[in-house]
Amino acid sequence: MRNAEIADAFAELADLYELDGAIVHRVLAYRNAATAIRSSGRSVAELAQAGRAEELPGVGKTIAEKIVDLLDTGEVPAAKRLKEKFPAGLVEITRLPGFGPKRARKLYDELGIASLDELRRAAETHVLRAVPGFGRKAEENVLAALEAADNGQGGRRALLPEALGIGEEIVAALREVPGSDRVEIAGSARRRAETCKDVDIVASAADPAALVDALSSLRVIAEVGTSGEAGARALTHSGMTVELRIVSPSSFGNLLQHLTGSGRHNELVRTEAVRRGLHVSEYGVSDDAAGTTHACATEEEIYALVGMSYIEPELREGRGELEAARGGTLPQLVRVEELRGDLHCHTVASDGRNTIEQMAAAALARGYEYLAITDHSATHGFGNHVSPDELRRQIERVREVDAQVEGLTLLAGSEVNVLPDGSLDYDDALLAELDWIVASLHTSFRMGERELTARMIHAMEHPLVDLIGHPTGRLIERREPYALAFERIVEAAVRTGTLLEINANPDRRDLNEHNARLAAESGAMLLIDSDAHGVNTLANIRYGVDTARRAWLTREHVANTRSWPELDALRKRSRAQASATTRPC
DNA sequence: GCCGTTTTCGGCCCGACTGTTTTCAGTCG
């Protein structure tokens, strides 16, 4: 059973306990456990079966036992009992905006409402307002929320580039407004999460009204809802909510920290503060003993007050960053400027939009020292495969351009398909002519875990495969990862010296932050690539760096922070040669 | 239900908003 499935089961159990009236802290304990399970890079099923689930933060004896029950029987016994007690539609009602377990439960007890349809009817016929605590407005809100849900609105999460694009445009415009002081993106976009529900912007300004005016006149903004001195809430034409909050410069740091989150991170910071007799809020850090409140212009001041070094936004997820910040062991996160080359991109030879020359020029303009041209291979369908003869000609063209271009090492590579049996779709003699080989899966995803894992490991054992491209095959919000035993893949990567890619395409970001962190901790070497299909998408590399940073990676973990000769020396074909030449006779 | 440089028991972040009620519970981020 996958981590996501186990996490879903415990998140659902939390919902059910909440409906059942359990104390909030117990419910929270289940939610926290679900989050820890979801973000574990290791297989929680394997961990639990080995009796080691309690190693996960927030998982104690009880939940560890329940994980084993779930694995053994396919269901947590407590969840089974509660599902018999509460109809499935009740949980759906708790997810409606404005509804939680208390209000859903009240309608169930008073009116027997157990589904969204029944709720709609009760609102339409004004039966709802007979229940204490519900009135005219509640009925209107129910109907509006149900309509929004029917239209597929509500709950849509944008990929990071969409949210960042909106946020960066707004920030740039607001910084130009006379009297504006500081303007920053906050929220999940600042943490560089894979998806964002809305765009949060924090500002300080001498004239807040001018900022709100400027926001409402921006091209991206369709309408401004509520607005005032403290900020505004607006909607973009694409349907994203933008939240602008304005404070005095003296507490800019407090609001920025508060709105950057994550919720879990803030909760942990505040718990740590309470232990020191302090209370952290969006307005300042108050001191019980002194009876004073310290407003913080910068986030650094807040973290210093609670005894920690500054924590980069990408790490603020409640995954051990507080302990590291207390102990002074936070990683020096890899930066996009540290990448010296890109080793996965496409040209018109397969499905790219630009020529080798154009890609080389664009790589030079980015300041790269090297670029590998890795078009798709012989069996890549979609009418853009590269036959063995075409690959030979492509290698020649790469060599010619390499000779012409100053300051860039151009590598002749290929993104080779891993066939269902784990073999590659060019013969070894041709592969040996290439400087760089990415092996990826593009077909036959629906194999069982055992077969698919063996298939990928077989490819990794090929002496010429340098890198596994987009190793889990997931597409964010669209396609689940392949059924891989990821820890086996990491073991094989370490054993064979095969690099694992963080594919920076923002639809992929594959490896994800959890897998990348596990791989690095296990001693595997990672590499960040754009997988660009044109000159414009080389810049996508930033999203791969975002994932790497969220995975706690330093430049040491990322192979392409090295020069090409250094990287060349550490890959497995060089190591094999080295061990062959130093072997005693 | 989890957890411990206060604790193996007794805590567990903080504040705004909403709709309802008349002082606040529930929801949200």
Side-chain angles (χ1 to χ4, degrees), chain A residues 53-108:
Chain A
E54 287 179 63
E55 290 175 19
L56 295 166
V59 174
K61 190 164 174 288
T62 307
I63 294 182
E65 283 170 4
K66 285 183 166 150
I67 296 174
V68 174
D69 286 342
L70 173 65
L71 295 170
D72 288 346
T73 68
E75 199 154 32
V76 181
K80 186 170 193 286
R81 183 172 50 79
L82 289 167
K83 278 190 220 171
E84 283 162 7
K85 189 169 172 185
F86 301 114
L90 213 46
V91 173
E92 285 181 51
I93 293 175
T94 67
R95 304 229 168 90
L96 228 47
F99 273 87
K102 294 275 167 41
R103 285 166 70 77
R105 180 69 195 272
K106 190 161 196 180
L107 293 184
Y108 180 58

Side-chain angles (χ1 to χ4, degrees), chain A residues 141-446:
Chain A
N141 289 345
V142 161
L143 294 176
L146 286 172
E147 194 185 333
D150 287 346
N151 294 339
Q153 298 163 352
R156 183 181 86 98
R157 294 190 70 90
L159 292 180
L160 181 61
E162 184 187 344
L164 266 185
I166 292 167
E168 285 168 354
E169 180 175 346
I170 294 172
V171 164
L174 296 188
R175 281 179 181 159
E176 295 300 314
V177 175
S180 95
D181 177 43
R182 294 195 62 190
V183 187
E184 298 287 348
I185 294 176
S188 49
R190 181 162 180 244
R191 300 197 314 275
R192 305 295 193 254
E194 291 166 357
T195 62
C196 304
K197 191 164 73 67
D198 53 20
V199 179
D200 294 304
I201 297 184
V202 177
S204 60
D207 182 3
L211 274 195
V212 174
D213 281 348
L215 177 75
S216 56
S217 65
L218 289 179
R219 231 169 8 116
V220 285
I221 299 298
E223 56 180 284
V224 174
T226 55
S227 72
E229 287 283 295
R233 173 177 291 190
L235 206 62
T236 67
H237 293 289
S238 57
M240 284 282 277
T241 301
V242 175
E243 190 92 42
L244 170 66
R245 293 278 299 269
I246 307 168
V247 279
S248 70
S250 60
S251 52
F252 181 84
N254 296 112
L255 190 61
L256 181 62
Q257 195 278 333
H258 170 72
L259 283 181
T260 297
S262 65
R264 181 68 183 147
H265 172 85
N266 286 355
E267 200 180 319
L268 292 168
V269 168
R270 289 163 180 189
T271 303
E272 176 62 26
V274 168
R275 210 170 283 152
R276 294 161 178 265
L278 304 171
H279 300 278
V280 173
S281 80
E282 60 200 280
Y283 301 105
V285 181
S286 64
D287 186 323
D288 281 343
T292 55
T293 297
H294 186 92
C296 303
T298 67
E299 294 182 310
E300 281 83 349
E301 293 170 57
I302 302 168
Y303 287 105
L305 283 169
V306 294
M308 299 175 204
S309 49
Y310 175 76
I311 299 174
E312 298 276 8
E314 294 92 329
L315 298 183
R316 300 183 197 170
E317 296 289 348
R319 297 179 190 149
E321 69 276 14
L322 269 64
E323 293 79 356
R326 271 200 299 271
T329 57
L330 282 171
Q332 187 80 42
L333 298 179
V334 63
R335 292 176 297 125
V336 72
E337 309 86 71
E338 291 176 325
L339 296 186
R340 296 168 76 167
D342 193 333
L343 292 167
H344 184 171
C345 75
H346 299 265
T347 71
V348 288
S350 64
D351 57 351
R353 287 179 298 280
N354 293 101
T355 62
I356 298 168
E357 290 86 347
Q358 289 167 329
M359 294 302 284
L364 258 181
R366 287 189 61 83
Y368 286 151
E369 298 167 18
Y370 50 94
L371 177 75
I373 302 294
T374 55
D375 277 299
H376 288 292
S377 57
T379 64
H380 186 262
F382 312 110
N384 45 28
H385 60 279
V386 176
S387 70
D389 282 342
E390 284 167 327
L391 180 60
R392 286 188 191 92
R393 285 195 290 278
Q394 173 84 338
I395 293 172
E396 280 173 30
R397 279 197 295 271
V398 171
R399 303 265 183 257
E400 285 166 20
V401 178
D402 182 45
Q404 293 159 12
V405 178
E406 283 282 311
L408 184 80
T409 300
L410 206 55
L411 302 164
S414 177
E415 182 181 11
V416 182
N417 268 356
V418 178
L419 300 172
D421 66 355
S423 65
L424 306 179
D425 63 347
Y426 291 125
D427 64 43
D428 285 359
L430 180 52
L431 290 174
E433 293 179 38
L434 292 164
D435 304 318
W436 178 256
I437 296 175
V438 186
S440 306
L441 268 63
H442 288 110
T443 55
S444 309
F445 303 150
R446 293 203 183 88

